[in-house]
Amino acid sequence: MELRLLRSFVVLAEELHFGRAAERLCIVQPALSMQLRTLENELGVVLFDRDRHRVELSAAGRVFLPEAQATLDQARRAVQRVRAAEAGEIGVLRLGFVSSVLPAYLPRLIRALRARHPGIELELKDMPTPDQLGALKANLIDFGFVRLPVDDKRVTTRTVLEEPFIVVLPAGHALCALSEITPGELAAHPAFCLARRFAPGFYDEFMSAMRFCGAPLTIIQELGEYTTMSALVAAGMGLGVVPQLAMAAKPENVEIRPLLLPESLSRVGAAWTDLDTPIKRVFSRFLGRTEADLVADEKAG
C-alpha cells in the first residue's frame, strides 16, 4: 500500500471536500478521485459516502482513518530518525574512562552532551588506560578518556583536561603545617602512587618530573584506584600523590596540599582509533570543548 494513497485519504477525510483536498495535495481533483478509487479497490471497501452535494466517511472509513494516520506518523518518525542518525544526532556511544574523571569532569561532560545532543545515548565503562587502548583497537568502545601520554600509533588522542598534582595527607601529618609542598619535601616521606601498569606514560612522566627536581619519589605501594589510596591515607597509613580532580570528594581525616612541581600537569585525553561513523564525528567535534567551556555552560544553564 503506497503512502501517497494513505496521505490522500487522510487529507480528504480532514477536508471532506475534493477540491480543497486536491489543493492541499497539490494535485488536480481527477487525480485525487483516481487515487481514492485505487485505495478502495485495494482494500475492497468503500471509504467515503459521497454524492454531488456531500462527502462523508463511511463506517469503514471511520475505522481506517486513525490507522492510516498512525501509519503516516510512523513513516514520518522513521524518516526523521534515519536523517538524525545520518547526521550523528542519535545512536549509542560506548565510552571508557579512568575512574578519576568520574567525580567532576565526566558528569559535566555528560550533562553538556545531553543538552546539545539529547538523542545520543552513552554506555560507560570504568577501565584503566591500557585496557581502554585494547578495547579501542578491538572496537569494543568508541572513545576512551585515558591518562596521557599514550605511545600507540593506532590511537589518536586529544587533551581534554589538565590538572595540577596534589598531595593527600592524613590529618595531623607534619606536612599539613605547610600551605604547599615542594618535590623535595614530598620525597622525604614514602608515598602511595598510581601503579605503572594502569597508566605507563602518566607514571613515567610524573616520576621523571620528580627526578628532574632532584627528588625521586619513595613509594610505599602502587595502587590501582585513587579511592583506595585516599582511604589508606585517611587511615593514617601514609600520604599519596594524585591529580587534583581525583580528590573532588575529600574523605574525612584527610588534608590536601598543592604539589609545586614546575611545568608538570596531569593530563587526561580523549582517545579513538577511527572516526568512521557520523555519531563518532559529532562527538569528536564536541570534544573540542574545554573543561572551562563545560564549567561555563553549567553556570549559564
Side-chain angles (χ1 to χ4, degrees):
M1 185 176 296
E2 297 182 39
L3 291 177
R4 68 185 180 92
L5 299 182
L6 292 182
R7 191 172 296 110
S8 295
F9 163 71
V10 169
V11 171
L12 182 56
E14 291 170 350
E15 296 291 344
L16 294 177
H17 188 282
F18 274 86
R20 291 194 299 269
E23 187 176 350
R24 276 182 58 187
L25 292 164
C26 299
I27 60 176
V28 295
Q29 187 170 328
L32 174 58
S33 298
M34 184 177 296
Q35 290 180 8
L36 180 60
R37 284 195 299 271
T38 300
L39 181 59
E40 288 179 325
N41 290 336
E42 185 173 340
L43 294 172
V45 300
V46 174
L47 295 171
F48 290 93
D49 296 324
R50 52 198 184 272
D51 56 30
R52 294 178 59 184
H53 304 291
R54 65 182 180 85
V55 178
E56 294 181 355
L57 280 167
S58 67
R62 288 193 294 273
V63 171
F64 188 59
L65 178 59
E67 303 298 334
Q69 291 169 326
T71 299
L72 292 174
D73 288 343
Q74 180 59 45
R76 281 191 289 269
R77 284 194 295 272
V79 170
Q80 291 168 354
R81 286 186 64 80
V82 75
R83 288 176 177 169
E86 182 62 23
E89 292 295 335
I90 63 171
V92 177
L93 271 176
R94 303 164 298 170
L95 303 184
F97 63 93
V98 290
S99 58
S100 58
V101 304
L102 188 57
Y105 175 76
L106 194 59
R108 280 198 288 268
L109 180 80
I110 292 171
R111 286 191 291 268
L113 181 68
R114 284 179 172 172
R116 286 178 172 259
H117 305 286
I120 294 179
E121 300 178 23
L122 299 179
E123 291 182 0
L124 301 173
K125 301 180 181 181
D126 187 344
M127 309 167 71
T129 293
D131 291 357
Q132 289 189 58
L133 300 180
L136 285 168
K137 290 182 284 188
N139 195 31
L140 298 176
I141 59 173
D142 300 308
F143 288 85
F145 289 93
V146 300
R147 292 230 161 264
L148 298 177
V150 167
D151 183 17
D152 191 319
K153 294 181 179 179
R154 291 179 57 187
V155 177
T156 302
T157 62
R158 174 190 295 165
T159 300
V160 296
L161 176 64
E162 293 182 329
E163 52 186 326
F165 290 97
I166 58 173
V167 181
V168 185
L169 304 158
H173 191 281
L175 292 180
C176 290
L178 305 176
S179 60
E180 51 192 19
I181 296 172
T182 66
E185 290 164 337
L186 172 63
H189 301 269
F192 296 110
C193 71
L194 184 68
R196 186 181 188 278
R197 65 187 180 90
F198 291 105
F202 165 82
Y203 180 97
D204 292 344
E205 196 170 72
F206 175 74
M207 294 302 177
S208 177
M210 290 291 292
R211 288 193 297 271
F212 182 80
C213 292
L217 188 67
T218 303
I219 299 171
I220 305 173
Q221 185 179 352
E222 296 184 358
L223 302 169
E225 295 284 348
Y226 287 122
T227 51
T228 303
M229 186 186 301
S230 63
L232 294 178
V233 172
M237 297 181 66
L239 55 84
V241 183
V242 304
Q244 186 176 49
L245 289 179
M247 283 291 110
K250 184 174 74 69
E252 294 182 1
N253 301 316
V254 161
E255 297 291 333
I256 292 172
R257 298 292 184 271
L259 175 61
L260 298 181
L261 195 58
E263 299 183 7
S264 184
L265 294 171
S266 168
R267 294 176 294 134
V268 172
W272 64 90
T273 53
D274 297 296
L275 299 177
D276 53 354
T277 63
I279 194 171
K280 287 183 182 180
R281 291 190 285 273
V282 165
F283 190 68
S284 175
R285 291 193 294 271
F286 177 79
L287 286 172
R289 304 183 60 73
T290 65
E291 167 72 359
D293 293 331
L294 298 179
V295 172
D297 281 354
E298 198 160 54
K299 290 180 178 177

